Amino acid sequence: MEPLQSRASSQPSATTVNLEQRCSRLTVRKMNTEEARDYLSSIINKNLRVTTTDGRLFWGELKCTDPEQNIVLSHTYEYRPPSDRQRAEAMAKVAGDESVTLDMTSRYVGLVVVPGKYVVKIEVEKFSSQLSQEERTMYLQQGQTGVK
């Protein structure tokens, strides 16, 4: 397993800024303490996808957080992208401009604590029946009809 990489500073990286510029639907707003507590309470026991600085993705049920922004997930699966070596080997097997598709490695890890300092992105899983009309319209306008 590859070690987690720590962030060098609290300033957003160029990747983060570029991602925010490309995602027009990304909404960031400040919440007061009560609003934040209410929001976190509303997503307890919901499935989250948590992406870490080393590229891993954890998919599990939110159980709790703490003041250090650590996230506790239960019934969790870990997904890891292919290593550089695996990518190089796959590219060596194909000719020229052909594309290569590699699967992420997954495993069941159960109850995990994801350290807050390594969290890059958190997504709450929503099914189409849970989306508001505004969210459904947004997905359809962006051509993303494959919403679960």
Side-chain angles (χ1 to χ4, degrees), residues 16-27 121 142:
T16 303
V17 173
N18 288 339
L19 179 62
E20 289 176 2
Q21 289 169 350
R22 286 184 289 153
C23 295
S24 59
R25 66 183 182 160
L26 180 64
T27 304
K121 179 171 61 172
Q142 292 178 353

Side-chain angles (χ1 to χ4, degrees), residues 48-50 56-61 73-80 105-112:
L48 300 183
R49 288 183 301 266
V50 179
R56 287 186 287 169
L57 183 139
F58 294 91
W59 179 77
E61 188 177 310
L73 300 172
S74 67
H75 311 294
T76 306
Y77 287 86
E78 173 194 44
Y79 296 90
R80 293 184 298 164
T105 305
S106 67
R107 65 182 179 148
Y108 180 76
V109 291
L111 185 67
V112 298

Side-chain angles (χ1 to χ4, degrees), residues 61-110:
E61 188 177 310
L62 177 65
K63 289 300 174 186
C64 67
T65 64
D66 64 13
E68 287 78 38
Q69 300 172 347
N70 298 319
I71 299 170
V72 178
L73 300 172
S74 67
H75 311 294
T76 306
Y77 287 86
E78 173 194 44
Y79 296 90
R80 293 184 298 164
S83 68
D84 291 337
R85 182 182 56 79
Q86 290 170 320
R87 280 182 256 171
E89 287 173 0
M91 290 303 292
K93 292 179 183 178
V94 298
D97 295 334
E98 290 185 47
S99 64
V100 175
T101 302
L102 297 171
D103 293 328
M104 293 181 81
T105 305
S106 67
R107 65 182 179 148
Y108 180 76
V109 291

Side-chain angles (χ1 to χ4, degrees), residues 122-140:
I122 301 171
E123 300 171 283
V124 178
E125 183 178 69
K126 283 190 175 182
F127 295 95
S128 59
S129 61
Q130 298 170 312
L131 295 176
S132 69
Q133 185 60 40
E134 180 181 319
E135 290 172 316
R136 286 183 195 167
T137 303
M138 180 179 62
Y139 280 116
L140 291 173

